[in-house]
Amino acid sequence: MLQVTNLTKTFKDTVAVDNISFNVEPGKIFGLLGPNGAGKTTTIRMILNIIRPSAGTILFEGKSFTKEFFNYVGYLPEERGLYKKSKVLDTILYFASLKNMDKKSAVDESIKWLKKLEIENYKGKKIEELSKGNQQKVQFIASVVHNPKLLIFDEPFSGFDPIIQQIIKEILLSFVNSGKIIILSTHQMDTAEKLCSDIFLINKGKEVCSGSLSQIKKQSGSNNIRIEFEGDSSVLNSSPFIAHADCYSGYAEIQLKDNILPQDFLRSIIDKVAVTQFSIIEPTLNKIFIDAIKRSSI
Amino acid sequence: MNKTFNIAKWEYLEKVKTKTFIISLFLTPAIIIAFTLVPTMLSGHHEDFTKAIGLIDTSGVYYNALEQNMGKNRLNNVQPEYVLLNFAGKNKDFSAIRKSADGSINSGQIAGCLIIQRYVNDSCAIEYRCRETDNIKDLSNLREAFNNTRLELKLMKEGANPSLIKFISNNADIKTVKVERNGTGPHQDFLAMFFTSLIFIILLMMMVISSDGMLVRSLLEEKSNRLIEIIISSCTPNELLAGKVLGLSALGLTQVLVWTLVGGVLASTSAVPPEVFNNILPIFLFFALGFTFYSAIFVGIGSIVSTEQEAQQITSYLSLAMILPIAFALPAIENPDSAFVHILSYIPFTIPTIMILRFNIGPVPLWELLVSVFIMAASIYISIIAAGKLFRVGILSYGKRPSLKEVISWLKE
């Protein structure tokens, strides 16, 4: 388990990360979410011991940082790049050697991964000869080849085509089954929603909300409905039951006021428009995210 | 430690294969050879063919004796260096003779023509007509031969003893010998000394510029593609720094080794003066100190800048600071005891080059050697600490170049 307690980082006069705490458990994907500049990367860098926290503690398996930790962690940064003039296999083996992997198992694992991502025949080629997508695969392999206990992915899907995104998703889920600790930092909410079971939402260095995704959805989502209808949508806007409505052609997503029951609302509009479908929905993570950021900004 | 070694190995192997390295490996000795050998060849080697020199002697008394004296100059101790052609024709008019001599000069048949016009008694006017008036060697040979001839003839006329004449006309030659602590050093001439120093200074410079240039570039590459974040999530910044410096120094050492081999081969064929390899130990000491010092500074700079252009700007200024002592080389050789040279022996940026120079010029007092080494060691210590600090913060700062104020605040962290 990775325990982050009261973590704070101040740069000169700005507080990049402000007293945040969370636990990341093995066997789950932990989503570290937030808009650009929220403090995600700074948090990740502190976990990786690239920069020192101004205050707070980070414990991995109950221990604070030791040099051994370097070998347990795999990191895929948001911005990618490799040694252009170096060969694919050499590059992967170099990164494996920095994780204290012995040569033989490093070669075996590299080949295994190159096969898995279907770029084995490029192993003797220079990085610059590869397409951008294939370069990213090489970098992905470099971050997982040493079978790390803790994996940190910063926007892992950016730059991959949908097919590879699917492969990477499957790989991530297989890591979950093998009990790794995984932190996924992203602002692609739909991806996070599908993969993460725990999330931590950060904005301007502060925690906005955190917990298991289902719980968060339950908390913020009992009063959302989706209604398909024929007729004048202005009826919806004038309804006293509605807190917020997003109207589209033929359907609307509606957030009811706190004390209103969905069936009361349905009763109030059933004579005015022709309802073809009515359902109670969970809010998307995207909506939770936007609402939470808005709330915290006020 | 293991990771430091892995990084060093990677840096070494990846760079040693690059075209830039292979080119510089062979280009540098070529430049050094051009720098050192060509002037030595030009100044030290005599032309190996006999020159014809015309003589117009209106008095008619000098020809035989002068021919004998000129004949003392030999090429490689065998072949006469000059032959004297007598242009004097009794029937011809002087200006006509001179005209025909000028014609021979212009056509290249003779190198020049000596005209001796006797006025009254022993006083005479003498001129040497030639195409290149700056041939100092021919002129000084002629001058010596003529003055000896004139002296001999006068003494003979006065009835002096022939052995006395021989004694008087024999000039003493002064040989310069460099004195060293452990006895008398080998015969040393100015040019050899100058180029000896230059070889080592250029070697140092080339090694700093190529290895440290590579260091800065490799740092910048990793910084710009964020690989640095992966690396320092695998090892400490100090391990990375040590690995890089080690690997690239090994690379520089490879270069120097190859160059020294080339130098050794050249020395064995005596194309390079063997004096180059005197004082090799203290020179090597300052070489190593200088290299370490400049490496630390380059690392510091590489950490601050974030684009290649910025790096080039700053490193070219630094390289200039290092080249600067070469400009002092000549005055330093001419006057090794000047206050100026002594002051430069205490400035860390110039210590390596100046000390390499001074060791070639003459003995350096032990206390001065120790003071220079101490200053160098202290500077290296400070620059490594500073570079390490800049490195730890700088490698993660992207975008605009930090202001001086920010850099100072990094150093204080």
Side-chain angles (χ1 to χ4, degrees):
Chain A
M1 191 159 80
L2 181 80
Q3 294 162 287
V4 173
T5 320
N6 302 330
L7 195 65
T8 301
K9 180 70 190 180
T10 358
F11 294 109
K12 253 189 185 168
D13 22 61
T14 51
V15 184
V17 174
D18 192 358
N19 197 25
I20 60 169
S21 303
F22 57 83
N23 291 340
V24 187
E25 284 162 34
K28 286 177 178 176
I29 296 180
F30 181 87
L32 182 61
L33 315 174
N36 292 327
K40 295 184 302 250
T41 307
T42 308
T43 306
I44 289 173
R45 285 180 180 169
M46 283 190 280
I47 295 171
L48 289 168
N49 200 47
I50 293 176
I51 52 175
R52 276 184 210 122
S54 309
T57 53
I58 298 165
L59 298 178
F60 178 71
E61 295 180 337
K63 282 178 285 184
S64 56
F65 175 81
T66 57
K67 273 195 171 188
E68 287 293 293
F69 176 77
F70 280 137
N71 303 331
Y72 298 148
V73 67
Y75 175 41
L76 184 70
E78 181 179 0
E79 286 180 64
R80 314 283 156 73
L82 290 159
Y83 303 101
K84 289 192 189 69
K85 304 275 176 201
S86 303
K87 288 178 180 160
V88 170
L89 186 60
D90 290 351
T91 306
I92 297 172
L93 292 180
Y94 172 54
F95 286 117
S97 79
L98 288 182
K99 299 292 187 185
N100 267 0
M101 241 185 147
D102 65 274
K103 183 84 190 271
K104 196 189 165 296
S105 52
V107 174
D108 292 347
E109 283 294 303
S110 305
I111 298 291
K112 195 188 92 188
W113 279 104
L114 287 169
K115 272 185 189 156
K116 201 171 200 167
L117 291 176
E118 298 169 342
I119 49 171
E120 200 208 349
N121 46 346
Y122 293 115
K123 67 182 176 192
K125 286 239 167 27
K126 282 185 182 169
I127 302 279
E128 61 185 355
E129 295 170 50
L130 269 61
S131 71
K132 215 171 172 200
N134 283 340
Q135 290 185 15
Q136 298 227 30
K137 287 185 192 172
V138 174
Q139 188 151 24
F140 181 81
I141 295 172
S143 65
V144 299
V145 68
H146 55 292
N147 196 21
K149 291 182 183 172
L150 169 63
L151 279 155
I152 300 180
F153 298 109
D154 203 346
E155 300 293 349
F157 304 106
S158 67
F160 283 128
D161 62 49
I163 296 165
I164 304 164
Q165 283 195 18
Q166 191 53 42
I167 296 173
I168 302 273
K169 270 178 204 164
E170 279 161 20
I171 293 170
L172 287 192
L173 290 171
S174 77
F175 286 154
V176 172
N177 297 333
S178 57
K180 291 187 192 304
I181 301 175
I182 303 166
I183 297 176
L184 178 71
S185 162
T186 183
H187 50 243
Q188 284 184 15
M189 291 305 145
D190 53 331
T191 317
E193 192 166 4
K194 281 176 205 149
L195 291 172
C196 303
S197 39
D198 285 348
I199 63 163
F200 186 94
L201 191 53
I202 183 172
N203 187 35
K204 292 180 179 162
K206 289 195 178 75
E207 175 185 329
V208 176
C209 72
S210 69
S212 84
L213 185 60
S214 53
Q215 209 181 342
I216 288 172
K217 280 190 168 178
K218 230 172 263 164
Q219 276 169 8
S220 56
S222 56
N223 257 5
N224 283 285
I225 53 170
R226 179 186 155 95
I227 168 171
E228 281 179 28
F229 60 93
E230 284 161 17
D232 183 7
S233 67
S234 65
V235 174
L236 300 175
N237 293 330
S238 57
S239 166
F241 300 131
I242 291 175
H244 179 79
D246 293 317
C247 294
Y248 306 98
S249 67
Y251 77 97
E253 284 179 5
I254 293 162
Q255 193 183 355
L256 298 176
K257 285 184 177 160
D258 284 346
N259 48 359
I260 304 295
L261 294 171
Q263 52 268 42
D264 291 340
F265 169 71
L266 180 61
R267 223 170 279 136
S268 75
I269 58 160
I270 199 96
D271 303 329
K272 294 165 187 156
V273 292
V275 176
T276 54
Q277 201 181 40
F278 184 87
S279 55
I280 297 166
I281 54 165
E282 284 189 324
T284 60
L285 188 54
N286 198 38
K287 178 133 179 62
I288 296 171
F289 176 80
I290 292 168
D291 288 349
I293 300 295
K294 271 189 196 152
R295 250 183 287 126
S296 74
S297 302
I298 293 165
Chain B
M1 205 55 227
N2 193 11
K3 289 181 183 175
T4 301
F5 173 75
N6 283 335
I7 292 166
K9 195 173 112 189
W10 170 261
E11 293 287 342
Y12 182 85
L13 289 177
E14 288 301 303
K15 296 291 178 310
V16 89
K17 287 185 265 180
T18 58
K19 283 191 196 86
T20 342
F21 180 76
I22 295 168
I23 290 171
S24 88
L25 194 61
F26 294 103
L27 197 64
T28 314
I31 292 173
I32 293 176
I33 288 168
F35 250 96
T36 54
L37 289 190
V38 173
T40 321
M41 277 195 285
L42 288 182
S43 65
H45 285 256
H46 308 266
E47 292 99 339
D48 49 3
F49 57 88
T50 308
K51 277 184 185 167
I53 288 178
L55 177 74
I56 303 170
D57 177 12
T58 55
S59 68
V61 298
Y62 287 105
Y63 178 75
N64 287 330
L66 190 60
E67 191 183 30
Q68 213 174 10
N69 275 327
M70 283 298 278
K72 283 176 189 162
N73 295 304
R74 297 270 164 181
L75 287 173
N76 310 321
N77 291 325
V78 197
Q79 206 181 340
E81 196 170 352
Y82 305 101
V83 289
L84 223 51
L85 298 176
N86 201 349
F87 272 77
K90 286 211 169 119
N91 306 327
K92 277 189 198 162
D93 167 46
F94 172 72
S95 58
I97 298 170
R98 195 172 63 183
K99 214 175 164 188
S100 83
D102 284 354
S104 303
I105 293 169
N106 279 328
S107 68
Q109 280 174 309
I110 56 173
C113 182
L114 191 71
I115 301 175
I116 305 165
Q117 279 177 284
R118 191 163 198 176
Y119 292 115
V120 229
N121 292 332
D122 293 331
S123 79
C124 58
I126 174 161
E127 69 178 27
Y128 182 62
R129 304 169 74 83
C130 56
R131 248 184 319 183
E132 289 142 9
T133 49
D134 53 351
N135 198 330
I136 297 160
K137 208 171 123 259
D138 285 353
L139 204 63
S140 79
N141 283 338
L142 269 173
R143 189 184 295 126
E144 195 185 329
F146 176 75
N147 282 327
N148 284 344
T149 309
R150 187 165 159 262
L151 195 66
E152 280 168 25
L153 289 177
K154 178 71 181 166
L155 287 170
M156 227 136 53
K157 207 168 152 192
E158 299 292 330
N161 188 334
S163 64
L164 183 67
I165 296 171
K166 201 172 176 199
F167 174 78
I168 290 173
S169 63
N170 250 352
N171 280 338
D173 200 15
I174 297 176
K175 191 169 89 174
T176 44
V177 171
K178 189 174 109 177
V179 177
E180 280 169 16
R181 192 167 296 278
N182 49 359
T184 309
H187 164 73
Q188 181 119 358
D189 76 75
F190 178 80
L191 274 177
M193 208 155 76
F194 181 68
F195 289 118
T196 306
S197 315
L198 221 52
I199 285 174
F200 282 105
I201 293 170
I202 291 175
L203 269 180
L204 176 63
M205 242 174 55
M206 289 293 189
M207 189 164 150
V208 169
I209 290 172
S210 69
S211 304
D212 291 345
M214 266 190 261
L215 185 67
V216 170
R217 272 197 302 279
S218 100
L219 260 179
L220 276 178
E221 188 190 9
E222 282 167 4
K223 218 167 128 171
S224 67
N225 59 23
R226 306 295 199 266
L227 274 171
I228 202 104
E229 293 187 21
I230 301 181
I231 297 169
I232 55 171
S233 65
S234 308
C235 67
T236 64
N238 286 343
E239 280 172 325
L240 173 61
L241 183 56
K244 274 188 182 297
V245 171
L246 223 66
L248 295 166
S249 301
L251 201 68
L253 218 62
T254 309
Q255 267 178 333
V256 169
L257 205 74
V258 170
W259 298 341
T260 313
L261 281 178
V262 172
V265 171
L266 287 175
S268 68
T269 61
S270 75
V272 160
E275 289 88 29
V276 169
F277 298 99
N278 298 342
N279 294 316
I280 195 81
L281 277 179
I283 287 174
F284 194 76
L285 173 72
F286 280 101
F287 197 97
L289 288 173
F291 183 68
T292 318
F293 177 64
Y294 274 103
S295 296
I297 289 178
F298 272 73
V299 167
I301 288 167
S303 319
I304 295 169
V305 299
S306 45
T307 68
E308 190 123 344
Q309 285 101 315
E310 283 175 347
Q312 252 160 18
Q313 252 176 26
I314 300 184
T315 51
S316 60
Y317 286 130
L318 255 184
S319 311
L320 260 181
M322 209 171 26
I323 298 169
L324 211 60
I326 289 189
F328 306 145
L330 219 57
I333 288 179
E334 280 174 352
N335 194 1
D337 282 326
S338 67
F340 178 60
V341 171
H342 281 272
I343 290 169
L344 291 179
S345 319
Y346 300 123
I347 300 172
F349 286 93
T350 51
I351 283 177
T353 31
I354 281 293
M355 289 311 270
I356 288 173
L357 257 178
R358 287 187 61 190
F359 267 101
N360 277 314
I361 296 164
V364 175
L366 187 66
W367 70 268
E368 267 195 82
L369 172 74
L370 292 178
V371 168
S372 304
V373 171
F374 177 76
I375 292 175
M376 243 7 243
S379 314
I380 288 172
Y381 180 75
I382 294 168
S383 59
I384 284 180
I385 298 278
K389 280 186 174 176
L390 290 181
F391 186 75
R392 273 193 291 278
V393 190
I395 46 176
L396 293 171
S397 88
Y398 309 111
K400 101 179 210 313
R401 175 160 49 178
S403 66
L404 194 65
K405 223 170 113 192
E406 282 172 284
V407 171
I408 291 168
S409 80
W410 292 359
L411 286 172
K412 281 182 186 159
E413 220 174 71

